Amino acid sequence: MNATASEGALADVVHHAADVPGATLHYVSAGESGSPILLVHGFPESWWAFHRLIPLLAREHRVFAVDLRGFGDSDPAADDHDSATAAQDLRHLIRGLDVGPVHLVAQDISGGAAFRLAAAHPDEVASLTAIEMGLAGFGLEAFADVARGGSWHIGALAAPGIPELLFAGRERALLGDWAFPTMTAVAGAVTDDDIAEFARAYAQPGGWRGAAGLYRSMLAEGDEFRALAAARPLDIPILAVGGFGGPFTERTVREVSTGEVTSVLLDGVGHHVALEAPQALAAAMLPFLRRVDQG
């Protein structure tokens, strides 16, 4: 793992490397007892998105937060990276840690990998906490339609070669002047140090390939996800947490599950819930996880 500004920022967080087929993943851990939680970030993030949440969860749980392949300090992704590879990486990580089943927590674009993992390997997942998360085939593609209020960045990330052409060398400006300000509602929640840490990771060689692969997947896997949801709907407890997107996350997970769904909407919170409202997020998650652990 590269030396980073984040090292030492959380005294009780330990940095690790895990080998999975084709890559080495960086992850952090905290907490010494309790059921395991695996935190999976979205875009434009890394494990650092959870650095305020981890200590709150670690009081009752063993907590792991991973950099997906192609993000943070994990190995770069290949040009053909996709959400299926990300899902397999998560499964290999859980098996390597020997901690399954885990309470899986997925934000944003990591939802596709989380859904694949939970549907294909339900024995590895005790519950799902979906934070500001959508799925292809269930409305997420609409966010790529700029004619109907969608965002330009999805198509730009998904187009081969364009992220390196447009974003390389401009990471700090892109994240600090556009990405976080446009989707964050809590003033001051995303600090200059946060922006610097995220930008550092994306500025590494191949730093955009992980995100590009997940967004290309999102634009292509809708039919597959609808078929998967019909054949293997999730039958695990789900906590849907909405901020900027309101009830969108809850509506999505209800369409792909037959199990219990608990919904929490956080008023005045934007898209980056774990950074903006870690106390409120922990206050929603911890009682939910206790209920799941109690059977």
Side-chain angles (χ1 to χ4, degrees), residues 1-11 13 15 26 47-48 73 197 200:
M1 191 196 75
N2 297 331
T4 76
S6 66
E7 291 187 66
L10 296 171
V13 165
H15 294 257
H26 167 251
W47 81 268
W48 185 252
D73 288 300
E197 171 59 17
R200 176 197 66 79

Side-chain angles (χ1 to χ4, degrees), residues 143-159:
F143 288 95
D145 187 350
V146 295
R148 292 175 171 82
S151 179
W152 64 274
H153 78 281
I154 297 174
L157 280 167

Side-chain angles (χ1 to χ4, degrees), residues 43 69-71 81 109 157 202 207-216:
F43 174 83
R69 186 188 302 218
F71 292 83
H81 185 62
I109 194 62
L157 280 167
Y202 285 102
W208 293 103
R209 291 208 295 263
L214 295 187
Y215 278 105
R216 280 196 305 271

Side-chain angles (χ1 to χ4, degrees), residues 8-14 29-31 54-55 58:
L10 296 171
D12 296 328
V13 165
V14 181
S29 66
I54 290 171

Side-chain angles (χ1 to χ4, degrees), residues 22-187:
T24 298
L25 302 182
H26 167 251
Y27 71 96
V28 302
S29 66
E32 298 180 354
S33 63
S35 55
I37 300 172
L38 177 59
L39 303 171
V40 188
H41 63 83
F43 174 83
E45 299 172 340
S46 65
W47 81 268
W48 185 252
F50 300 109
H51 76 277
R52 298 184 187 119
L53 179 67
I54 290 171
L56 305 177
L57 300 179
R59 297 169 185 170
E60 299 184 24
H61 296 271
R62 289 170 291 159
V63 183
F64 305 91
V66 66
D67 284 336
L68 291 169
R69 186 188 302 218
F71 292 83
D73 288 300
S74 289
D75 279 352
D79 288 334
D80 61 352
H81 185 62
D82 57 17
S83 67
T85 302
Q88 285 299 314
D89 285 349
L90 294 176
R91 186 184 185 218
H92 285 293
L93 176 63
I94 294 167
R95 286 178 162 258
L97 292 172
D98 193 23
V99 296
V102 300
H103 295 296
L104 183 62
V105 180
Q107 278 197 162
D108 184 62
I109 194 62
S110 66
F115 174 58
R116 287 182 182 275
L117 174 64
H121 304 287
D123 54 316
E124 306 283 7
V125 181
S127 73
L128 172 63
T129 297
I131 306 171
E132 283 284 288
M133 190 195 94
L135 290 172
F138 299 93
L140 186 59
E141 300 94 333
F143 288 95
D145 187 350
V146 295
R148 292 175 171 82
S151 179
W152 64 274
H153 78 281
I154 297 174
L157 280 167
I162 296 301
E164 293 81 4
L165 180 65
L166 296 183
F167 303 156
R170 302 177 177 87
E171 293 83 6
R172 185 70 181 260
L174 182 75
L175 303 188
D177 296 341
W178 171 74
F180 284 102
T182 57
M183 292 195 177
T184 302
V186 178

